[in-house]
Amino acid sequence: MKTTLNIALPKGRLGEKVYSMFEKAGFPCPEIKENSRKLIFENEELAIRYFWVKPSDVAIYVERAAADIGVAGKDILLEYSPDVYELLDLKTGICKMAVAAKKEFRDNPKKTLKVATKFTNIAKNYYDTLGRDIDIIHLNGSIEIAPILNLSDVIVDIVETGTTLKENGLEVKESIVDISARLIANKASYKFKNEKIDALVKGLGKILEENSND
Ligand code: PRP
């Protein structure tokens, strides 16, 4: 019997992009393109199974071995430090984690800085290294509103095109770290399903190389 490789992909635009890389790498599952509400797809012949999961949940599935491998943003890996292997930078889903604030904002180092973010650990670590005293305000989304309503002085959030900041009168004040999608593996799966995972890593590596030569 073939052992099935379980792959968790982030639902949405990034996931679709990543799936087409997996397809080109020799891991197709045509049913996935049928645009249904289904969340699990299997290619029995190749013994692979894909699931669409919420992007921020991929690492949990992989860490707990519900998926053998998956694709997660570096932001999630830095924020939650899941106990998984990071195998490959897929060079897609590229954005950065940054500190942003109203244009006119000037930091007063004598005052505790109020920071609104979804990424509490990333923000804490960043300001720890600067030795800056902060008050974290954890929000779940639409973070850009916080400085406008004076809920916070700054935000720590993902910036991709910069449009959201611009349209809300905010600007990047400091860049924290570059983010992109990473291929991750469960540690036990990596050992026991190594041949298949290695074949995928090699296939994806080739595609990345071709893309970089374009
Ligand atoms: C993310 C991020 C910013 C936006 C940045 O939000 O939190 O709000 O994308 O993209 P841009 O620089 O291209 O404008 P997301 O859409 O993930 O929703 P959220 O409000 O839940 O964070």
Side-chain angles (χ1 to χ4, degrees):
M1 206 189 78
K2 294 188 209 171
T3 37
T4 301
L5 187 71
N6 292 302
I7 306 169
L9 291 183
K11 205 162 176 259
R13 219 160 24 102
L14 173 66
E16 281 161 28
K17 231 176 170 177
V18 167
Y19 168 73
S20 63
M21 290 174 75
F22 278 55
E23 189 178 45
K24 280 190 207 146
F27 287 72
C29 186
E31 198 198 352
I32 210 167
K33 289 186 163 166
E34 281 168 21
N35 232 349
S36 69
R37 306 282 288 185
K38 256 178 84 166
L39 298 171
I40 302 182
F41 302 90
E42 190 160 354
N43 182 333
E44 283 184 30
E45 210 186 309
L46 295 182
I48 46 179
R49 192 185 292 129
Y50 285 99
F51 332 122
W52 289 128
V53 308
K54 205 175 146 81
S56 50
D57 290 340
V58 169
I60 298 173
Y61 282 82
V62 175
E63 184 177 35
R64 292 177 171 263
D68 300 306
I69 55 168
V71 173
K74 185 69 181 174
D75 50 334
I76 300 297
L77 302 179
L78 289 171
E79 180 62 21
Y80 299 106
S81 307
D83 190 19
V84 297
Y85 290 133
E86 193 183 310
L87 300 179
L88 209 54
D89 180 348
L90 296 174
K91 307 269 163 80
T92 185
I94 292 172
C95 51
K96 65 179 173 183
M97 188 65 65
V99 178
K102 285 192 242 178
K103 289 198 172 78
E104 62 275 20
F105 174 75
R106 294 289 171 271
D107 191 7
N108 176 355
K110 285 185 196 137
K111 275 173 61 185
T112 300
L113 185 70
K114 286 190 284 173
V115 182
T117 187
K118 256 199 294 204
F119 302 95
T120 309
N121 292 324
I122 294 177
K124 272 190 190 145
N125 290 338
Y126 175 67
Y127 285 106
D128 266 2
T129 60
L130 298 180
R132 182 77 172 90
D133 194 23
I134 61 164
D135 175 16
I136 290 261
I137 302 158
H138 185 268
L139 297 177
N140 294 301
S142 301
I143 320 291
E144 291 83 359
I145 293 177
I148 299 167
L149 301 179
N150 295 320
L151 177 64
S152 74
D153 300 311
V154 301
I155 62 173
V156 166
D157 201 13
I158 282 170
V159 181
E160 192 181 350
T161 59
T163 311
T164 314
L165 291 182
K166 200 168 162 210
E167 293 195 356
N168 290 289
L170 306 179
E171 66 180 21
V172 169
K173 298 290 183 186
E174 293 147 56
S175 290
I176 299 180
V177 63
D178 291 332
I179 305 291
S180 58
R182 306 295 161 101
L183 180 71
I184 57 171
N186 173 272
K187 289 188 167 174
S189 303
Y190 188 66
K191 206 165 164 188
F192 296 113
K193 301 188 183 180
N194 190 268
E195 210 174 303
K196 209 160 196 175
I197 295 176
D198 249 14
L200 174 65
V201 171
K202 285 206 181 91
L204 290 171
K206 243 188 199 163
I207 291 165
L208 289 168
E209 218 180 286
E210 282 164 22
N211 289 351
S212 72
N213 293 333
D214 279 353

